[in-house]
């Protein structure tokens, strides 16, 4: 499917990528991890041909991507980038879908394409909002709409840059379930970036860690199973007191345990996933 082979990229005198290599197989999810400035965005932009690498190759279906015509390449490769404008606020959800499908020559008058739109909208619980202006959408709804647009062209490869960033807990798990379902049903390959350990673990994806411009691959992430996510819950107790507690229960367990209380907030305690992975790397050396 996709091979990133020994790529390097330098900005001015700073070498961001140094001999980075990894591959993505059909129907596989690969997560790219790395701190800000590690080169995650540079890799995605390179795959999207938005920047040109200094050396190395990016191979898609056994051909160098820069030898492929953009029209065909971007029918097979879609992306939702965190730093880009993915949808337009002054259009409705459906108008956005129609506009971007038009750019990709996707005929929404065909029943199979229209059915696909409504299928994804239903999975994302967005079907009742398709004809509302995006300006009234929450961040999570906009993210879902952008992913629907990216999938309607039926790509072989989908790039997702921090797909759950800014989403509430319920929307985050809806997104994760959706990603797994799409990969399973359509054999789509996905490259995503994230800082959130529960996403890597839930997707059971292969991991590529970027550190000091180099890449480290992990086929299995069994070592993550020993780490539990922690949450801070704020609720009103039986005596009308506002209580804040830390717990390592799962979201489902928290909701069940505190179902008789007025829950004000459930917030995840951030965990430095790059630090965890690097500690594991150092142990193996």
């Amino acid at each position: 499917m996709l091979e990133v082979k020994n790529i390097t990229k330098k900005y001015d005198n700073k070498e961001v990528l140094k001999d980075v290599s990894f591959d993505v197989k059909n129907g596989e999810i690969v997560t790219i991890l790395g701190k800000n400035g590690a080169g995650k965005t540079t890799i995605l932009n390179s795959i999207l041909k938005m920047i040109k690498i200094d050396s190395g190759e990016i191979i898609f279906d056994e051909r160098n991507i820069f030898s492929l015509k953009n029209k065909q390449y971007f029918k097979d490769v879609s992306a939702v980038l965190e730093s880009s404008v993915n949808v337009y606020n002054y259009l409705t959800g459906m108008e956005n879908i129609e506009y971007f499908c038009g750019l990709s020559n996707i005929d929404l008058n065909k029943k199979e394409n229209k059915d696909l739109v409504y299928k994804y909208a239903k999975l994302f619980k967005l079907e009742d909002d398709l004809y509302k202006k995006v300006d009234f959408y929450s961040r999570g709804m906009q993210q879902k709409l952008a992913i629907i647009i990216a999938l309607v062209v039926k790509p072989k490869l989908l790039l997702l840059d921090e797909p759950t960033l800014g989403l509430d807990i319920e929307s985050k798990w809806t997104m994760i379930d959706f990603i797994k379902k799409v990969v399973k049903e359509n054999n789509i390959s996905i490259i995503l970036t994230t800082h959130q350990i529960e996403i890597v673990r839930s997707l059971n994806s292969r991991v590529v860690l970027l550190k000091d411009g180099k890449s480290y691959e992990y086929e299995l992430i069994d070592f993550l199973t020993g780490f539990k996510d922690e949450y801070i819950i704020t609720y009103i107790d039986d005596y009308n007191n506002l209580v804040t507690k830390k717990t390592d229960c799962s979201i489902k367990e928290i909701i069940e345990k505190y179902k008789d209380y007025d829950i004000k907030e459930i917030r995840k305690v951030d965990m430095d996933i790059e630090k965890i992975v690097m500690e594991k790397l150092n142990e193996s050396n």
Side-chain angles (χ1 to χ4, degrees):
M1 160 64 74
L2 183 82
E3 295 178 82
V4 175
K5 303 172 75 171
N6 311 110
I7 68 171
T8 65
K9 179 62 183 177
K10 182 185 291 185
Y11 296 105
D12 296 326
N13 293 321
K14 183 179 180 181
E15 194 171 26
V16 177
L17 301 179
K18 308 172 186 177
D19 197 32
V20 169
S21 298
F22 64 91
D23 64 8
V24 184
K25 301 176 181 64
N26 287 321
E28 180 182 34
I29 302 173
V30 172
T31 301
I32 301 178
L33 299 174
K35 294 185 179 296
N36 290 336
K40 301 189 299 297
T41 300
T42 296
I43 287 177
L44 295 186
N45 286 341
S46 298
I47 295 170
L48 291 171
K49 302 206 281 187
M50 293 169 67
I51 62 173
K52 196 161 186 177
I53 54 178
D54 295 329
S55 63
E57 288 184 297
I58 301 175
I59 307 297
F60 182 76
D61 282 350
E62 300 183 350
R63 293 181 63 185
N64 189 298
I65 64 171
F66 291 101
S67 71
L68 296 170
K69 291 184 178 179
N70 286 346
K71 184 176 180 180
Q72 180 56 47
Y73 183 65
F74 290 112
K75 181 173 173 51
D76 291 333
V77 179
S78 290
V80 178
L81 302 180
E82 193 275 326
S83 59
S84 298
V85 176
N86 298 297
V87 292
Y88 294 108
N89 288 350
Y90 57 87
L91 299 176
T92 67
M94 183 56 78
E95 286 170 343
N96 269 282
I97 293 170
E98 291 170 346
Y99 172 73
F100 286 105
C101 283
L103 294 180
S104 300
N105 294 316
I106 302 296
D107 185 1
L108 287 183
N109 289 318
K110 288 187 176 179
K111 186 176 184 300
E112 61 177 292
N113 293 331
K114 184 76 85 173
D115 287 348
L116 193 60
V117 169
Y118 286 110
K119 173 187 174 181
Y120 289 144
K122 187 174 182 179
L123 281 173
F124 262 149
K125 300 179 181 178
L126 207 61
E127 68 269 32
D128 294 334
D129 300 291
L130 283 180
Y131 294 93
K132 296 177 182 176
K133 283 196 174 183
V134 172
D135 193 41
F136 296 101
Y137 281 25
S138 66
R139 180 188 177 95
M141 293 167 69
Q142 292 185 26
Q143 191 83 326
K144 292 171 185 177
L145 177 63
I147 291 178
I148 289 172
I149 291 169
L151 287 171
V152 171
V153 301
K154 302 174 186 175
K156 294 180 180 179
L157 175 65
L158 176 60
L159 310 183
L160 297 176
D161 186 16
E162 298 282 1
T164 63
L165 189 66
L167 301 187
D168 59 48
I169 289 174
E170 182 180 358
S171 295
K172 181 184 297 182
W173 291 110
T174 299
M175 180 73 73
I176 291 170
D177 289 341
F178 181 81
I179 290 171
K180 291 193 290 189
K181 190 177 183 70
V182 165
V183 169
K184 183 178 180 180
E185 291 185 353
N186 301 284
N187 200 39
I188 292 174
S189 301
I190 291 180
I191 300 176
L192 67 85
T193 67
T194 185
H195 287 88
Q196 302 176 62
I197 192 170
E198 73 268 27
I199 293 183
V200 180
R201 190 162 54 203
S202 298
L203 291 175
N204 195 29
S205 66
R206 189 151 54 88
V207 171
V208 175
L209 174 70
L210 298 180
K211 176 70 174 177
D212 297 327
K214 297 181 180 180
S215 57
Y216 303 87
E217 287 193 65
Y218 294 87
E219 290 293 337
L220 299 174
I221 55 169
D222 292 341
F223 59 89
L224 291 181
T225 59
F227 295 90
K228 276 197 169 186
D229 293 312
E230 290 186 324
Y231 295 89
I232 294 175
I233 177 172
T234 301
Y235 64 96
I236 304 294
D237 69 8
D238 293 331
Y239 302 99
N240 207 33
N241 296 316
L242 187 66
V243 179
T244 298
K245 285 185 178 179
K246 183 185 287 188
T247 177
D248 61 4
C249 293
S250 68
I251 290 294
K252 290 182 180 179
E253 290 171 337
I254 291 173
I255 292 173
E256 177 61 28
K257 184 175 180 179
Y258 294 93
K259 64 182 179 182
D260 296 327
Y261 297 97
D262 181 8
I263 298 176
K264 297 299 182 183
E265 182 185 37
I266 302 175
R267 177 166 52 88
K268 194 181 81 68
V269 178
D270 289 335
M271 187 179 293
D272 190 343
I273 189 169
E274 288 86 0
K275 181 180 179 182
I276 292 170
V277 177
M278 285 309 299
E279 287 175 353
K280 186 65 180 180
L281 175 66
N282 291 334
E283 287 174 10
S284 63
N285 288 340

